Amino acid sequence: MLRPATADSSVWAAIRPRALKGRMGAATIKDVVIVGGGTAGWMAAAALSKLMGHACRIRLVESDEIATIGVGEATIPTIKAFNALLDIDEDEFLRKTQGTFKLGIEFVNWGQIGDAYIHGFGSIGASLGNVACHHYWLKLRQLGQAADLERYSINTAACRSGKYMRSVADMPNSPLGEIANAFHFDAGLYAQYLRTLSEARGVVRTEGRIVRTILRETDGFIDSVVLESGERIEGEFFIDCSGTRALLIGQALGVPYEDWSHWLPCNRAIAVPCASVSPLLPYTRATAHSAGWQWRIPLQSRIGNGLVYSSQFMSQDEATSTLLSHLDAPALAEPRHIPFVPGRRKKTWVKNCVAVGLSSGFFEPIESTNIHLIQSAIGRVISLFPNAGFHQADIDEYNSQIQFEYERIRDFIILHYKATQRTDSPFWNHCRDMAIPDSLQHRIDLFSSNGRAYREAAELFAEASWVQVMVGQRMRPDGYHPYVDLLSDADLKAFLGNIESVIQKCVDVMPLHEAYIGQHCAAS
Ligand code: FAD
């Protein structure tokens, strides 16, 4: 029936949390080198050591002199599968990372100034006769009798009441069994947490700045990396988690970067923390401003804030003052400025090197997709793990799966900019009028006619996600699925009214998010 908007699609869900033991063949890769110790590096180390630590040596090289990006604090529900793979105790993990629960993202001022809608992770209502619930809602709205779409989803209704509890496993027919959550956490503490897990499982960390990459003369594969100290680290399989520097995939192997700035206009971010305020909201907030948008990520210890903007339409000074004047509490540090280029590496697995994390590509954090992409890349590496022969067919398959995933997420993010009715600034006029990929135009056309939305193959975002953003940003379809008319108006009203009241009753019994954290996982 109901399923998470961002479901545990494809590859990751198929991986069983069980280490691979036993004797490995002569052609098995025995030396894996991970370059970089940010979120990507330690996620890769934690997963590989859990599944393959018995079979191969895993080393991670990082330099304390080169800071990690230090942001990346909001996630989507797929991270729960990653935690399960690592046997992570969720309460302990939240205590150690100052973590909170996340049920969705609130978008403020996107369709028009003054608008606010939530993209919740849970699905919307229940389907009837194989027709998705939102079609019934579209008709009731045309009749002028529908409540806000948010009232038909347990996740979004709970957000609006500031409530949270874990999904109840033995209530499959109740909305309380359908609560889909992710987390907010402190990025630095998360990397530390994963490092502790990884080192306990045998990962060897080497401190030092890499100054050179040596390629094999015969085939151009990576042979080793050389540190400033002169130490040379050899490996058979290299995972490039060196961030935007892309030391291996970009600098050594010369794989070009595909720039998507013409579709994703923002290219700068400013990050700043501020003190925590009550109530502790169970969702991220994304507030649109005149040339970009501001994130608000509530942690137990502080609120993470940032402004993502387009340097073509806003100066750094204006962006900084916009951000600082929209904080809930005084800033706790100096704002940090982070330039970026939206897009992806044309290939992320080349020869014996896979790029994971920022070295492989970057989406602005509007839908919190980057940590998911790290996890998904690691899942695919495990599923297509090479032997020493490195078969090109495996590599091609990996690259094509990653390309598909990136392009579908790209379209979803562009939608947030394109589907606006704002006319108050040159930035929003540009976004409204810009050309978009044909694949996204097709989705917009489908929805605009009869409210239809589809999840394509194993793409990340499900129908409910597309519908919530399209409706939330004022797209109004001409019609709805014709089967809806088989229901009388009175039955239609009763069907949706029942969903709304059951969801409200469930929300009423849920505890406040802050109280739930206090009871289960308060950080010391
Ligand atoms: P980094 O953190 O940059 O790590 C690079 C590592 O490589 C470091 O350890 C460094 O020491 C090492 N290194 C580099 N060069 C060398 C060298 N020469 N020698 C040795 N070591 C070297 N994602 C989300 O999912 N949710 C979010 O809310 C979110 N928000 C974001 C907000 C912003 C503004 C930005 C820019 C990103 C955000 N992201 C978010 C993305 C997320 O931060 C990254 O995907 C994640 O942190 C992974 O980064 P990384 O490990 O690839 O790179």
Side-chain angles (χ1 to χ4, degrees), residues 36-41 62-63 66 68-69 71-74 208-210 241-243 245 247 269 295 297 338 356-358 362 365 368-371 374:
T39 301
E62 67 172 321
S63 165
I66 302 173
T68 61
I69 193 93
V71 280
E73 310 203 311
R209 178 191 281 262
I210 295 167
C241 299
S242 62
R245 285 176 181 80
L247 284 184
W295 79 76
I297 299 178
I338 308 167
V356 176
L358 297 174
F362 178 69
S368 317
T369 44
N370 291 291
I371 292 173
I374 293 171

Side-chain angles (χ1 to χ4, degrees), residues 63-300:
S63 165
D64 282 341
E65 285 170 24
I66 302 173
T68 61
I69 193 93
V71 280
E73 310 203 311
T75 59
I76 56 175
T78 50
I79 195 167
K80 287 167 74 83
F82 186 77
N83 286 352
L85 174 96
L86 298 184
D87 291 331
I88 283 177
D89 173 330
E90 199 170 280
D91 285 344
E92 182 207 64
F93 153 74
L94 290 166
R95 273 194 292 273
K96 293 212 164 149
T97 60
Q98 295 287 344
T100 63
F101 296 95
K102 172 178 172 186
L103 293 171
I105 305 170
E106 183 187 28
F107 290 90
V108 178
N109 295 340
W110 284 79
Q112 272 291 6
I113 293 177
D115 286 359
Y117 73 93
I118 292 179
H119 167 201
F121 297 133
S123 295
I124 305 161
S127 52
L128 180 65
N130 224 14
V131 175
C133 185
H134 75 269
H135 286 280
Y136 296 95
W137 179 82
L138 286 172
K139 174 166 183 188
L140 200 61
R141 191 178 58 172
Q142 281 189 5
L143 296 174
Q145 294 176 38
D148 199 292
L149 188 63
E150 288 174 4
R151 297 183 60 86
Y152 302 92
S153 147
I154 182 76
N155 267 54
T156 48
C159 283
R160 285 294 176 216
S161 301
K163 303 272 188 96
Y164 176 76
M165 64 186 263
R166 288 191 172 98
S167 182
V168 184
D170 55 359
M171 294 181 82
N173 292 319
S174 161
L176 291 176
E178 303 288 350
I179 300 166
N181 78 278
F183 310 104
H184 304 115
F185 49 63
D186 179 310
L189 296 177
Y190 184 54
Q192 256 176 46
Y193 182 79
L194 294 178
R195 176 176 166 184
T196 306
L197 282 186
S198 307
E199 290 184 325
R201 288 182 180 139
V203 173
V204 175
R205 174 187 181 275
T206 302
E207 164 61 34
R209 178 191 281 262
I210 295 167
V211 289
R212 198 152 63 93
T213 304
I214 298 178
L215 304 184
R216 293 198 310 230
E217 274 180 16
T218 44
D219 54 11
F221 277 46
I222 295 174
D223 171 82
S224 50
V225 289
V226 181
L227 306 187
E228 210 165 26
S229 63
E231 185 183 352
R232 178 172 158 180
I233 297 179
E234 295 176 329
E236 290 170 277
F237 191 29
F238 287 82
I239 309 208
D240 183 353
C241 299
S242 62
T244 49
R245 285 176 181 80
L247 284 184
L248 309 184
I249 197 88
Q251 292 185 30
L253 295 174
V255 179
Y257 193 84
E258 198 174 318
D259 181 343
W260 285 339
S261 301
H262 50 296
W263 288 319
L264 294 165
C266 294
N267 60 350
R268 297 273 190 286
I270 312 175
V272 72
C274 76
S276 197
V277 293
S278 232
L280 193 57
L281 301 178
Y283 54 87
T284 308
R285 179 177 291 144
T287 305
H289 292 303
S290 64
W293 62 277
Q294 178 170 344
W295 79 76
R296 181 191 187 280
I297 299 178
L299 306 184
Q300 292 190 42

Side-chain angles (χ1 to χ4, degrees), residues 466-480:
W466 288 91
V467 168
Q468 287 176 88
V469 174
M470 286 172 162
V471 166
Q473 300 210 186
R474 295 180 168 245
M475 287 177 60
R476 300 284 180 259
D478 299 332
Y480 45 79

